[in-house]
Amino acid sequence: MMNTGRNSQKAGLRLVILSLIILHLFSSISNAQVSALMTLPQVGLIPGGPIDDQSFNQMAYAGLTRAFDASLIAFPSVYQPTGNTEPDYDAAIAQCVAAGNSLCVTVGFMMGNSTMNAAINNPSVHFAIADMTWDEPSYPANLRGMHFSVEEAAYLAGTLAGLMTETDKIGIVAGMAIAPVDDFVFPYIYGAQWANHSVYSMLDYANDFSNEALGAALAQSQIDRGADVILGVGGMMGNGAIRQAGLQSKYCIGVDVDAYYTVFESGTAPGADYLLTSILKRIDNAVYDTIVAHVNDTFTSGTHIYDVENGGVGLAPYHYTEPDIPPEVISYLEDVAAGIADGSIDVWQDRKSTRLNSSHESPS
């Protein structure tokens, strides 16, 4: 049975925290500065959950506050949905529009229908949604979708895994054999194979995204077969896989957000010292870029791609494992990232036996 009292207390606490954040932002601003700020465009954020989630919502809020710090917008407004249903999202977006915001930014594909409908019904307001896109003819002129080329960052992570394995065996625990998952899986395998021609990749699909225990069991099976680097791709199930790897003193790699904060509790949870990195969607950069375009009257509709070249995807800091990674490996990763950015490396091509450019040979 749901503890509604406790849930309401948590919601109230988050509202207090948000209020304190906003008060802090304005505490050192004079009346004249406040008047000047009020002439700037108003931009609102509709998160898909609490903004202190150490995940997509918090990253989106960071992009919003960066725009405020750069004096691009009047103030960072957040319109928190009261629940996780489409009517809740509709209501929060309607609040954003009614408050006079000229740009409303939503977070996550769950808000896709609500964002599309709001854009159609409010043609004078700009809308943008992080991590959701449509086919190009579907876009109204005032709607932008943000797509993240995770395959590029996955290739980088695979390169790192291929160079850090001591057994020449790496494991991938994935949610389902669907495109959003395989966008991580196969470029990761290709990156590992190119960096280390002897690497053997173990791939297990869980056909599940929420079962942490299943993720842990699949990771343990791969570890028992010799894998010493584990990638977890698939929500809580994937988190269970990388947590198990860390607990078994094996390297692990997360996805989407920095698992150092989410899975390993800001480095305090057991196993944090075996987290190599995470494959990041830089939603903060995408939100900030969208606000800049809106403010500069260069906002365009349609799908906008965020990739390695423009800082839209990348690898998280190495945290505790940075001393383990040889300098030549870090240098090589930088070269690979440059190759991806300039197009000389195709992350979808299995280049295990076909070297395209001798400058991208793995370090000895």
Side-chain angles (χ1 to χ4, degrees):
M1 182 175 181
M2 183 178 296
N3 189 333
T4 55
R6 181 174 296 178
N7 288 342
S8 62
Q9 287 178 347
K10 288 183 178 179
L13 179 59
R14 290 190 179 109
L15 182 60
V16 170
I17 293 172
L18 175 59
S19 300
L20 290 174
I21 290 172
I22 294 174
L23 285 173
H24 174 73
L25 290 170
F26 282 102
S27 62
S28 60
I29 300 177
S30 68
N31 289 337
Q33 288 172 314
V34 170
S35 297
L37 282 172
M38 294 304 292
T39 65
L40 294 173
Q42 292 179 228
V43 175
L45 175 70
I46 302 91
I51 60 169
D52 58 348
D53 66 349
Q54 295 185 329
S55 187
F56 286 169
N57 297 307
Q58 189 163 331
M59 293 175 75
Y61 184 68
L64 182 71
T65 55
R66 191 194 312 170
F68 172 78
D69 291 339
S71 300
L72 296 176
I73 60 175
F75 47 84
S77 300
V78 176
Y79 302 89
Q80 189 75 57
T82 57
N84 298 316
T85 68
E86 197 164 300
D88 297 322
Y89 302 146
D90 292 341
I93 296 172
Q95 289 178 343
C96 182
V97 173
N101 292 281
S102 54
L103 169 64
C104 294
V105 181
T106 60
V107 183
F109 69 91
M110 293 294 290
M111 291 196 192
N113 289 338
S114 297
T115 305
M116 173 64 78
N117 291 336
I120 292 171
N121 294 325
N122 300 277
S124 64
V125 178
H126 283 161
F127 293 86
I129 181 167
D131 212 24
M132 173 71 190
T133 61
W134 294 268
D135 292 335
E136 288 300 321
S138 301
Y139 282 93
N142 60 332
L143 175 60
R144 170 180 291 196
M146 308 179 205
H147 172 77
F148 297 87
S149 298
V150 294
E151 65 274 10
E152 296 184 351
Y155 188 95
L156 285 173
T159 299
L160 177 61
L163 296 174
M164 292 300 293
T165 177
E166 295 182 354
T167 64
D168 289 336
K169 295 178 181 179
I170 63 174
I172 304 102
V173 179
M176 292 183 179
I178 56 176
V181 173
D182 286 343
D183 284 349
F184 288 94
V185 169
F186 289 104
Y188 178 86
I189 292 173
Y190 299 158
Q193 289 175 334
W194 175 242
N196 178 355
H197 299 344
S198 299
V199 78
Y200 174 73
S201 300
M202 305 176 191
L203 171 59
D204 287 303
Y205 288 103
N207 294 312
D208 186 281
F209 289 98
S210 60
N211 191 333
E212 290 188 59
L214 176 58
L218 291 173
Q220 187 61 54
S221 173
Q222 293 177 346
I223 291 168
D224 291 343
R225 287 177 278 151
D228 61 352
V229 183
I230 301 294
L231 170 69
V233 187
M236 299 303 292
M237 186 283 305
N239 289 347
I242 65 172
R243 184 181 290 110
Q244 181 67 16
L247 290 173
Q248 296 298 313
S249 302
K250 304 300 180 184
Y251 286 133
C252 55
I253 297 174
V255 302
D256 287 340
V257 296
D258 193 341
Y260 176 83
Y261 299 104
T262 54
V263 178
F264 294 105
E265 301 173 13
S266 298
T268 63
D273 46 342
Y274 286 91
L275 177 68
L276 275 178
T277 188
S278 299
I279 300 165
L280 294 183
K281 295 179 181 179
R282 293 298 306 270
I283 287 179
D284 54 334
N285 289 346
V287 168
Y288 179 79
D289 172 74
T290 299
I291 294 172
V292 169
H294 173 72
V295 171
N296 292 338
D297 293 325
T298 57
F299 180 96
T300 53
S301 65
T303 298
H304 281 247
I305 305 296
Y306 293 91
D307 53 20
V308 164
E309 183 179 13
N310 60 26
V313 298
L315 297 184
Y318 307 120
H319 299 294
Y320 295 144
T321 57
E322 184 165 7
D324 298 350
I325 305 173
E328 60 268 24
V329 170
I330 293 177
S331 177
Y332 179 63
L333 284 170
E334 292 171 352
D335 289 343
V336 173
I340 293 171
D342 67 24
S344 62
I345 291 180
D346 179 0
V347 302
W348 283 109
Q349 182 174 347
D350 181 355
R351 298 183 294 118
K352 184 174 181 180
S353 59
T354 306
R355 299 188 178 189
L356 299 183
N357 188 323
S358 61
S359 66
H360 297 300
E361 292 184 10
S362 51
S364 57

